């Protein structure tokens, strides 16, 4: 392992279920000697990537949040989309997700959690395979052919008995997403949850993100939420400068 | 510089104004040779901390967001507080801030930006000196004596002609914050902006965070927003398990 690799291994010792670690846990999880783990953890504490709690255990520090906020595809996108997400959240009372594609996975860059509806697994920064979530399907349907073929050729992980694990079926679903402009994922990742999602386009009219809603399967006809969701996705696309979402008045008036 | 230090210097080359960098910009800003910068940037790309755009420039990647989401004082706190922040945002239509103290600075772990009111400088992950913001004053007033004395003894940076830069005046303001439970910062960081803030307490009843609202100085009497803000701060404290914010019915019923 390179020196840089050892440092990054210390950070990777922290995972959603294990966000508070002792030095020996870091050493074991990163595969480093106690001495090396101690030295590197110390450098990361000085830099602000790690902090120590009152018991001397290590946790992820605020300097990483400061850096993460600079990710153009992450928190910067989130900030621009925020007013649209707020309005959508308050008009639907559904879970609202903003996501981007990272390789063969979908990453949530914003999640607004509704109360009193189905429990969802999503949280900020979390990743799932593209085929198992609404936002993932919306992103995959508009990804390059190469990415689509790679996903279709690899095994499709099953999460519930309804998860699409057949490549032919997935291919059909992706074509449907492109035709309708909306992805629907019924109980793909979690039972009782239905997700709908729409693509968001950037300044070059390419799909850069996806907007999704998740509701309980018995709660309402999710398709009834499609108009308000696609309007919000179009609003965010326009804010990003997407030509296909440009202000129509401008065109009519010949501006 | 240690090997770890060189890697971290590459990340620190990215700042709010400079979030998209060429290799030579990284090399110059990090004080590293082109060869070293190229090797380290490559390791960071493989790990996911950096990404390259279509022009080959480097930007902060999504793996940092994934890690930052594990910070207990950051996005984890934000997730728990989210429903309260949403309600506060929609009932006040003011900017809403959730912040924690990091040394002598305040760091925003959530910002909900209102439309049609004063422009604020705050964004997620951003830092300001404690004495110049509402949330900073609320946190400083409840920090340990040692931290307070260090801040009071250091020069207090001026942002506007109204920023408190006199230690005696700051000491008086902090006593007032403790007495009333509310911090008020009028045009301390930005002209035309008034911030009010209240402390949030954790499971040990210690102050762990602060909740703040920012409105335009001409917009409304900010003190009129104090009850709804302190109720939300108390709700978040209760969700964190703070004894002083415990459900009163429980006490009355002798649970």
């Amino acid at each position: 392992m390179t020196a840089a690799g050892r440092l990054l291994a210390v950070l990777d010792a922290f995972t959603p279920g294990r966000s508070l670690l002792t030095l020996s846990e870091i050493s074991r999880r990163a595969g480093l000697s106690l001495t090396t783990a101690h030295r590197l953890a110390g450098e990361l504490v000085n830099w602000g990537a790690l902090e120590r709690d009152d018991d001397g255990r290590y946790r992820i520090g605020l300097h990483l949040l400061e850096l993460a906020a600079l990710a153009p595809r992450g928190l910067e996108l989130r900030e621009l989309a925020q007013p649209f997400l707020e309005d959508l959240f308050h008009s639907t009372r559904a879970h609202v997700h903003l996501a981007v594609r990272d390789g063969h996975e979908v990453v949530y860059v914003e999640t607004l959690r509704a109360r009193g509806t189905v429990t969802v697994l999503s949280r900020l920064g979390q990743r799932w395979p593209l085929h198992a979530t609404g936002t993932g399907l919306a992103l995959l349907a508009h990804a390059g052919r190469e990415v689509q073929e790679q996903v279709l050729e690899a095994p499709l992980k099953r999460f519930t008995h309804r998860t699409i694990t057949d490549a032919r079926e997935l291919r059909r679903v992706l074509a449907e997403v492109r035709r309708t402009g909306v992805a629907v994922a019924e109980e793909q990742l979690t039972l009782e949850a239905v997700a709908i999602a729409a693509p968001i386009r950037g300044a070059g009219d390419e799909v850069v993100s996806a907007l999704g809603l998740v509701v309980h399967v018995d709660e309402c006809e999710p398709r009834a939420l499609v108009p308000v969701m696609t309007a919000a996705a179009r609003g965010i696309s326009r804010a990003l400068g997407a030509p296909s979402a440009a202000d129509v008045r401008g065109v009519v008036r010949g501006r």
Side-chain angles (χ1 to χ4, degrees), chain A residues 77-90 112 232 236 239:
Chain A
L77 168 66
R78 166 200 174 276
E79 224 165 77
L80 193 143
Q82 186 224 314
F84 299 96
L85 303 181
E86 293 287 338
D87 292 345
L88 191 59
F89 182 68
H90 280 266
L112 297 179
I236 300 169

Side-chain angles (χ1 to χ4, degrees), chain A residues 26-249:
Chain A
I26 293 176
S27 136
R28 194 173 60 247
R29 291 169 67 91
L32 299 170
S33 72
L34 263 180
T35 318
T36 306
H38 182 255
R39 182 174 55 77
L40 294 175
E43 295 213 47
L44 288 166
V45 167
N46 288 338
W47 190 62
L50 295 181
E51 296 176 350
R52 302 191 71 174
D53 73 0
D54 296 340
D55 301 328
R57 287 174 303 182
Y58 294 85
R59 58 189 183 190
I60 296 292
L62 294 168
H63 189 47
L64 280 185
L65 177 61
E66 208 176 342
L67 270 177
L70 301 178
R73 297 211 300 148
L75 299 177
E76 216 175 77
L77 168 66
R78 166 200 174 276
E79 224 165 77
L80 193 143
Q82 186 224 314
F84 299 96
L85 303 181
E86 293 287 338
D87 292 345
L88 191 59
F89 182 68
H90 280 266
S91 60
T92 63
R93 288 287 164 189
H95 302 288
V96 176
H97 295 155
L98 184 70
V100 299
R101 182 174 67 78
D102 199 27
H104 296 179
E105 292 175 311
V106 58
V107 180
Y108 295 117
V109 296
E110 181 58 298
T111 64
L112 297 179
R113 288 201 196 191
R115 281 163 282 181
T117 179
V118 64
T119 304
V120 288
L121 298 172
S122 57
R123 47 174 295 176
L124 198 64
Q126 202 170 19
R127 296 165 178 271
W128 295 105
L130 290 167
H131 73 282
T133 67
T135 45
L137 288 172
L139 290 163
L140 182 57
H142 295 92
R145 178 150 298 279
E146 198 186 343
V147 171
Q148 291 193 29
E149 292 307 322
Q150 285 163 359
V151 171
L152 285 160
E153 280 162 23
L156 297 166
K157 187 176 173 186
R158 177 181 296 285
F159 293 92
T160 74
H161 70 274
R162 297 197 61 188
T163 310
I164 302 169
T165 54
D166 177 60
R168 221 166 38 178
E169 168 69 1
L170 180 56
R171 203 181 285 277
R172 195 194 58 72
V173 167
L174 294 177
E176 181 81 3
V177 173
R178 281 188 294 271
R179 196 179 61 77
T180 60
V182 177
V184 181
E186 294 186 70
E187 302 189 310
Q188 293 289 309
L189 186 61
T190 326
L191 286 176
E192 307 194 337
V194 181
I196 57 172
I200 291 170
R201 293 174 185 275
D205 237 16
E206 77 289 14
V207 170
V208 293
S209 172
L211 177 64
L213 293 178
V214 180
V215 294
H216 192 281
V217 71
D218 293 335
E219 209 167 335
C220 65
E221 175 48 54
R223 283 167 189 81
L225 299 177
V226 164
V228 66
M229 181 187 67
T230 49
R234 196 179 157 84
I236 300 169
S237 301
R238 186 164 53 245
L240 287 169
S244 64
D247 189 336
V248 179
R249 289 169 305 174

